[in-house]
Amino acid sequence: MTTHPDRAGDAPDHELVRAAAEVARTRCRGDHHTMAAAGRAPDGRIVTAVNAYHFTGGPCAELVLIGTAAAQGIYELDTIVAVGDRDRGVVPPCGRCRQALLDYFPRLKVVVGTGDRVRAVPIADLLPESYVWADHQLDD
């Protein structure tokens, strides 16, 4: 596994935050794409995505990132961050995304916070007493 200097302890992955912010600044336009996400694979690669808002719902940037990563052959992520357009900064994942991220990547770190309080926390910390789907399936 490739290590990254920003990934020690609960320090945020600043390169990942910058990648998401750049996508938010350059690719998010209008009401359809307002959030960008960036995820780091265990080999160090960064994957980015934007949300696809629609009045009927639509996937958040974090969910689009899961599919984008898989399309590139990446099935594990170490860290993820979402950043809002118009310089809104780091935005924590919504409840639906927290659950999906926990189910896909139980050891994932998520960058949250604002200003000098930006930090990386385990996804499980964002869902205390979380429901883990796999734990509640009947054995055959």
Side-chain angles (χ1 to χ4, degrees), residues 66-113:
I66 292 170
T68 301
Q72 296 177 22
I74 299 170
Y75 299 99
E76 293 294 327
L77 292 174
D78 287 340
T79 309
I80 193 169
V81 65
V83 172
D85 67 346
R86 295 172 280 199
D87 296 319
R88 289 184 288 144
V90 172
V91 177
C94 73
R96 178 177 68 166
C97 288
R98 290 175 193 212
Q99 185 66 55
L101 291 168
L102 175 69
D103 290 339
Y104 273 83
F105 314 110
R107 291 176 296 285
L108 183 72
K109 295 265 188 173
V110 181
V111 178
V112 297

Side-chain angles (χ1 to χ4, degrees), residues 3-51:
T3 57
H4 191 276
D6 287 337
R7 292 165 50 188
D10 63 352
D13 184 334
H14 293 291
E15 182 183 23
L16 199 63
V17 174
R18 284 190 299 272
E22 177 67 12
V23 170
R25 187 180 65 73
T26 61
R27 302 291 183 230
C28 291
R29 293 198 165 90
D31 294 335
H32 298 297
H33 310 291
T34 59
M35 295 289 299
R40 186 178 295 279
D43 66 5
R45 286 183 289 170
I46 292 177
V47 180
T48 59
V50 299
N51 68 319

